[in-house]
Each structure stands twice: as C-alpha cells, then as structure tokens.
DNA sequence: CATGAATGAGACTTCATTCAT
DNA sequence: CATGAATGAAGTCTCATTCAT
C-alpha cells in the first residue's frame, strides 16, 4: 500500500486544488500563446508546459477556443480590476486619468508575457473571440470614458471630442506604445525572429514607464508649445 | 487579319494579363481573409472567390504564407504611397500632419475591406509576418515621425515627447479609431458575429471622417479647455 | 484483484504492446508495398491493412519514407541474422557457402512476401533509400565474401575472381533466381498483371529450393562437363 | 510574309523530323530518369531537358507511363540487337557466350546512363511495367538460354542446370556486377547521395570490362582450383 | 479524476494532363 | 504542330478531441 496525499485519500481534490490546476493550465497557455501564437500553439504544447496530460486540458476547458477565451477573461478581469482600483483611488479627473495610464503601463512592465498575450495574440483567432474582446475591452473603455466625461462635465476638459472617442484615442496611444515596447524588447514577439533593421522608429528599448508621461503630456496640452502660459 | 502584339500572336498571355490575374487573386484573398481570418481561410476559398482552380494560386504565389505577405506588401505600398503624397502636398508641419491624418481616415472610409485586412487580419499569423509588418509600418511611422520632428525643430511643437514616440501615439489613435469603426460597421468584423450589446462605448456607427478632427484637436491642444484663448 | 505490471496498472500499454503494434504496421506495409509498390501504395492503404487509423501510422513512423526504411531495416536484420547463423553453423568453406545459399532460398520459399519486398520494392524509391540499401546489402555481401576469401586462402578455391566480386556474382545468381521465382508464382508480382505469354524462359513455377543445387553446381564446377574426373 | 524553313513551308514536318524530336524526348527522359528516378521525375523536367513545352510530350507519348515504356522498349531493342549480333558473330557455344558477356559489359561501360536507367530505374514503377520488362528481358534471356542449350546439346556443357535457369544465373551475375559498378562510379546513383562508407565490398571503382573475364571464369570452371588439370 | 494512445476529418500542396491560342 | 497556363484530383501529414484504462 502506498501512502497517499490527503486529497487522494479523500477520493477527490478540494475545489482549491481544482482551481489551482486550472490556473496552472492558464499560465501555461499564456506562455505558449505568447511564444507561438494561438493558431500555431498546439494543445499538447500547453499540456506539456503545464505538466499535465493532453486529455486533462479537456477536463478544465471545453475546447482550445474555450481555453483562449478563459485566458482572456481571466487576464482582462485582472486588468480591469486593477485599473478600476487605480481610478477609484484618485479624486480629480486629471488624477484619475493619470492613475489609469500609470497603472496600465506599470502592469505591462511587470507582466510582459501577460501583456503580450493581451496585446498581440488574443486579438487574432476565431470570429467569436472578437465579441468577447469587444465586451471586455468595452469595460475598460467605459471606465476611461467615464473619467473623461467627468472631466468634461466639470469643465476641466473640452468636449470637442466626445468622451467615448477620446477614451478610444487614449487607449490607442497606450496600446500602440505597449505594442512597440513589447515587440522591441529582446525576445519580444515570437522566438526566433530576427530584429528589424531600423532602430529609429521608436520601437525599441525605451522605458515603457515613461509612456505614462507622454500620454499625460499629449492629453494635457497636445503637442503645442505654449510660450505664453 | 488583325494585328497582334508578339505575345498575343504567340498565344501567350501578356504580362498585363498575368498581373491582372495576380491582382484578382490578391483581391479575392483580401475579401476572404477579411471575412474568415488568415488561419481559418482555406486556399480553396480564395480560389473559388477568385474564380480560379486551387492549383492556379500556386502559379502566382509560393504558398499561403506568401500570398498573405504579398497582399500585405501590396496594400501597404498603396497606403504608404498615398500618405507620402498627401504629406508632400502640404507645406507647414501642421498642414502635413492634418494631411496625413485626413488621408488615412479617407482611405479607411473608401476601402474598408482593405483597411480591415490591414488593421485586423494581417497582424496575426506566423512569426515571419511580424517582421514584414514591422518593416512596412515602420515606413509609415517614420514618415509621420519626420513631420513631427520638423514641427519640433521649427519650434511649433513641444519636444516633450520624442518624435518617434509621438508618431506612435498618433498612429495608435488613428488605428484604434479605425478598428472601432470597422468593427462597428454593419457587417464589420467577421460574418455571423452577434452585435455587441453595449452601445455607449463609441464603437459603433460614427463617422470615421470626423476622426481626423478629433485627432487634430487632441494633438493641437490636448483635452484642455483654454479659457483664456 | 489481479496483480498488474506497473504499466498495466497505470492503464498504459506496455512496451511490448507498442512494439507489437509497430510490427503490425510493418507487416501491413510489407503486404501493401509488395502488392502496390512503394510509390503507388497510399499510407491510408497501409493503415487499413493494419487495422489502424491513418494518423496512427505517424505515431510510430516519422513519414512514409521512414516506414519504408524501417521495414527494410527490419527485414534485412532478419535476413542477415539468419544467414550469419547458417554460415556460423558450418565448418568448411564449401559447407559455409552451401549453408548460405540454402538458407537464403529457404527463406524465400517460406516468406515470399517479405522476399518480394526486399527483392523488388525496396530497391526503388528515393535517393536516400539507396544508401541504406547499399549498407545493409553490404553486410550480406561481406559475409559471403568472407566465406569465399576463406576458401581461397585455404587453397580450395581459385582466386581468379577477387572474393568481393565473386560474392557479388553469387549474390546476383541467387537474386535473379529469386526474382524469377517470385514473379513466376501465381499471384507473384503485383495483382492484376496478366501472365507473360512465353513459358520457356525459366521464369515460371520451378522449385526455388532446387536453386541451391544449381548455384552449388555452378560455383563448384562451372558449366563444364568433366568427362575425365 | 516571313520566310519559312522547308518543313514549315510544306505545312508539316517530315517523318524524320518527327522521329528526331521523339528521340530527343527519349534521350531527355533517359537522363532525367537516371538522375531523379521515374516517380520523382516530373514531366516538366523532361520537357525542359528536351527543350520542348510540357504539352509537346503528349504529342509524342500518350502518358508518362507510355514514355517510360517507350524508353524501355527503345533501349532494350538496342541492347537485344547488339547482343544478338554479337552472338551471331561467333561460332562455338563458348565463343557465343563470351561474345554475349563481352558485348554486354562493353555496352555498360560505353553508355552508363542508359545502363543506369535499364538496370535501376526501369525496374521500379507501375505494375504493368513489370510485364513489359519480363517480356523484353525474356528475349535477352532466351537468346542466352539458346546458347547454353546449344552447348549442352553439343556435350560441351553439363546439363545439371537447365539451360533457362543457367541463363538466368549468368544474367544475374552480369546484372549484379553492372549494378555494383554503376552505383560505385562517381556520380553513380542519384545526385547528392553520400558515398557508402565501406569500401571493401567490391562495389566501387573496378573495371567493369574485367567482369567479362570473371563471368567467363566462373561459368567455365566454377571457383574450383583444378590442381590436376 | 488523470492519462495519452488513438482517431479521422481536413488542409495544403503537387503535378500529370488538357486545350485554347 | 507547339505552347504553357490552367486544371483539379489525390496524397501526405497534422492536430483537436475522445475514451478505455
């Protein structure tokens, strides 16, 4: 008779165990998708990376697509939660905006693999992915639009640009800077890719944290030089 | 007896014929990729759409990947050419910037399918696509960065944000607005997708041409209200 | 409760199981190659003959080429082993030679399908097959050449013909007789072939076992009539 | 009006022209088959080698198979003719046998490409090739068997081995030696193949012409040393 | 619950053959 | 007769998913 772990002895693992293994698979999928891309990644790659059997994946996820969606949900939940918390921690519209921006670039700097998956891989894929994407990014965009609208209502910001579109634009800046940084990092993008020859396109090895200031500057005053202010 | 060109006399299609069929295949691929996505699209779908046999595709392109890359090159060449022409037709940095922005949104409005492929589908796919992408978008970004740098050098614009990164940010705004518009259109995104439930995220049915003004406004003065101007 | 081996307990097939299925596929390939020829045989034919799914083949062999090579290796190993054993069981050079010859024709008589594949199909195919072929047949030829050389060294046989070439020649006789017999059998060659009209070419329905005597006679005394011996 | 060659003026080429082009295609096929093997060779390769368009092949041959068969017929006709002539030029059975053998090895030495195709490539291929092969080689074998039978009838040779089988055996020797020589030549076998490592198997760089003596010796006296003769 | 061997649908690609010029 | 672009049937191989152990 062999000695068994408590869980095995009890006949079935606790919910915690189940959740933990699910997370292990999600983490593995994150790494594999970041490295190979969604379509190129094989389910068995993910299984190997997670240290489980191929079939086990299907005990936790309905399909490869479901795995992708679950990963997306999981990461966006985290992102949306952090951003909401950051915004909630500030008082004025300007402070809220900067909190949003700073929190986002901070997240990218700290979890580049997750960011890579969100920024690059998760946008591909199958048609129905697009819906989930729109929905979850919608949350993020509404949070940001709310901050803008608040500032416009308070008279702090001009309402030349409707708040939802202003939010899109700011998000676009952040996203593009994130993309540039992610692809510019050593080992960024997929493995084995040769570095692009040009170096002067702002795409390589800048400090992503500074991006917060750039966005702040552009939103605050545009590119204009205000000599008399 | 009619006079024939040497090629016609020999019964051989002219170079023009060849190029025309190649273009027909590229156009078909554009539509199919826009509809199904690169990985999901089957070569035989493209052949059917182009009205040729499957094997014919391979007389013009080495592989499915090659077809994608060729499509990308073809469309980016067109885009880069138009943008460069637009910029060249303006004199001051501000005018050049607005020419760039206006030209881009105009292009999207007029050729949404092409835009969809460039904005959405062509960013996916295999690792080596990434390189091509970086290179060709780099051209576009360098053009824009040149305009910014010129304005900064002329003292028109602040150099708080380095020109290459400012270019990225402006591009990000445009790109995100384009994406929102493309996905928001009826029939935008892939067929068969259900419309996202939320309507207040700025993602639906706005006039993309107005985006030029929004970008102009944000770049010119940020979001700030200038009470004393 | 029965006692299981570790593998059985884990629900995993034993190495024996794996080897057995591999062999089943090799046997199926042998039959299909013998019937259709390597290039004409479809992987799915082999799968059907083996009673497995198409994809299963690729769990055991890297490619169709690999399957061919593996089959060749497997059969040549068997042949070389048997011949070496036969030779080792004899003492004088003459006895060794006859043992070699007898063992080979015996093998052909008992396993005509395997012989057909070795003698006919496995000599075709891709360029790299040729190398394997040369190497494995080389083993066989060296064994035979060794016997000849031994007899020449012992003064039993003339060294008019260098041993390696004498070995080639003897092998050629055996091979040609084997080929004639294999093609002459009912059902020999590929299915569906019409019987050649001529019957007097020695190619049909003789007893392959007698070939051993013929080879023995020719090697021993040539065709000469020795009236005075 | 342009000036035309006589044939063109006449509206159709002479039979000689047609035969000449057919031969050009056969020669090209011989080279391509020798280099790439029948199955691997593409019809368009042969067309290019022959300097004609792909479709032209089909004006002279019904199919790729037909081309192979025609090539085989053409070459075997030549071989059989030469051998028959050689035999006819000799008087005694022994002389006839040696004439046969000598003529054959001479042919190999002088036209190795043709020999390679006959000895190696033409034995592969489709099922119906086998019939043609049997038939044409049958001619050759019957010629040889006739010589043997004549010698046996004359009491020159023992009839231990029936003439048709003796013919097979002699042919087997020749064929195997030819094969060894062809594969052993530099550039023998298909291009790009690495040389087999072993050198002592008699397979490399011997003088094929000497093979005639070896066959003569073996047939005349076997391997036996005849001390008392 | 976990395993991983087996499945088999389906994709890309090749190439012998045709036929309009 | 000659051409060679076009055809499309067919084969190899991959990989998401299942299920017996």
């Amino acid at each position: 008779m062999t000695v068994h772990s408590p869980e095995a002895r009890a006949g079935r693992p606790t919910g915690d165990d189940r959740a933990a293994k699910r997370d292990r698979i999600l983490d593995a999928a994150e790494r594999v998708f970041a490295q190979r891309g969604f379509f190129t990644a094989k389910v068995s790659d993910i299984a190997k990376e997670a240290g489980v059997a191929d079939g086990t994946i299907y005990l936790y996820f309905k399909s490869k697509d479901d795995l992708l969606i679950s990963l997306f949900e999981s990461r966006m939940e985290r992102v949306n939660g952090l951003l909401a918390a950051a915004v909630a921690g500030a008082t004025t519209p300007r402070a809220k905006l900067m909190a949003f921006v700073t929190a986002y670039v901070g997240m990218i700097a700290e979890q580049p693999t997750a960011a890579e998956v969100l920024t690059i891989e998760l946008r591909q894929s199958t048609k129905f992915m697009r819906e989930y994407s729109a929905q979850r990014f919608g949350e993020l965009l509404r949070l940001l639009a709310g901050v803008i609208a608040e500032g416009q209502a308070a008279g702090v910001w001009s309402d030349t640009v409707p708040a939802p579109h202003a939010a899109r634009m700011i998000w676009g800046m952040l996203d593009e800077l994130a993309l540039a940084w992610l692809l510019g990092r050593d080992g960024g993008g997929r493995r084995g890719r040769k570095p692009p020859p040009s170096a002067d396109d702002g795409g390589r090895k800048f400090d992503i944290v500074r991006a917060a200031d750039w966005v702040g500057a552009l939103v605050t005053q545009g590119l204009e030089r205000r000599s008399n202010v």
Side-chain angles (χ1 to χ4, degrees), chain A:
Chain A
M1 261 288 176
T2 21
V3 177
H4 292 94
S5 73
E7 288 84 1
R9 213 186 302 134
R12 62 190 169 98
T14 67
D16 277 4
D17 270 6
R18 191 178 159 77
K21 183 169 280 192
R22 202 186 118 100
D23 282 346
R24 234 171 66 208
I25 295 174
L26 281 177
D27 289 347
E30 181 173 274
R31 289 191 294 275
V32 173
F33 285 157
Q35 208 162 97
R36 305 232 201 291
F38 174 72
F39 278 102
T40 311
K42 284 175 279 186
V43 171
S44 70
D45 289 339
I46 298 169
K48 197 181 299 170
E49 178 81 17
V52 300
D54 291 17
T56 303
I57 302 273
Y58 291 85
L59 298 173
Y60 293 85
F61 303 94
K62 228 174 35 235
S63 66
K64 190 185 174 187
D65 276 328
D66 182 42
L67 178 51
L68 179 71
I69 288 170
S70 301
L71 175 58
F72 180 71
E73 297 277 336
S74 150
R75 297 313 184 246
M76 281 307 283
E77 212 166 301
R78 194 200 283 167
V79 170
N80 282 329
L82 278 173
L83 292 178
V87 166
T91 48
T92 70
R94 280 183 196 160
K96 285 179 180 175
L97 177 61
M98 286 315 294
F100 183 101
V101 171
T102 307
Y104 188 66
V105 298
M107 218 155 33
I108 288 167
E110 278 162 35
Q111 306 184 16
T113 304
E116 193 169 340
V117 169
L118 274 186
T119 303
I120 303 175
E121 299 307 332
L122 292 183
R123 307 204 180 164
Q124 322 185 345
S125 86
T126 51
K127 58 179 177 301
F128 62 101
M129 183 64 217
R130 193 90 71 215
E131 300 173 44
Y132 285 88
S133 177
Q135 208 142 340
R136 288 298 188 169
F137 273 114
E139 219 174 304
L140 182 155
L141 287 167
R142 274 191 297 280
L143 174 65
L144 187 52
V147 172
I148 306 293
E150 189 185 333
Q152 289 176 327
V156 180
W157 288 324
S158 151
D159 50 10
T160 307
V161 184
H165 298 119
R168 282 263 176 202
M169 293 163 79
I170 293 170
W171 173 251
M173 296 186 221
L174 280 171
D175 195 44
E176 183 68 27
L177 286 167
L179 180 65
W181 184 76
L182 287 166
L183 294 178
R185 281 177 315 143
D186 281 337
R190 316 256 172 86
R191 301 278 160 86
R193 95 185 226 288
K194 287 176 290 185
S198 82
D200 202 27
D201 62 353
R204 302 189 62 67
K205 304 200 179 151
F206 61 93
D207 182 1
I208 184 64
V209 172
R210 295 186 53 200
D213 297 331
W214 297 336
V215 173
L218 203 62
V219 168
T220 304
Q221 58 179 14
L223 290 175
E224 297 300 313
R225 171 178 302 278
R226 308 249 189 104
S227 46
N228 58 341
V229 175

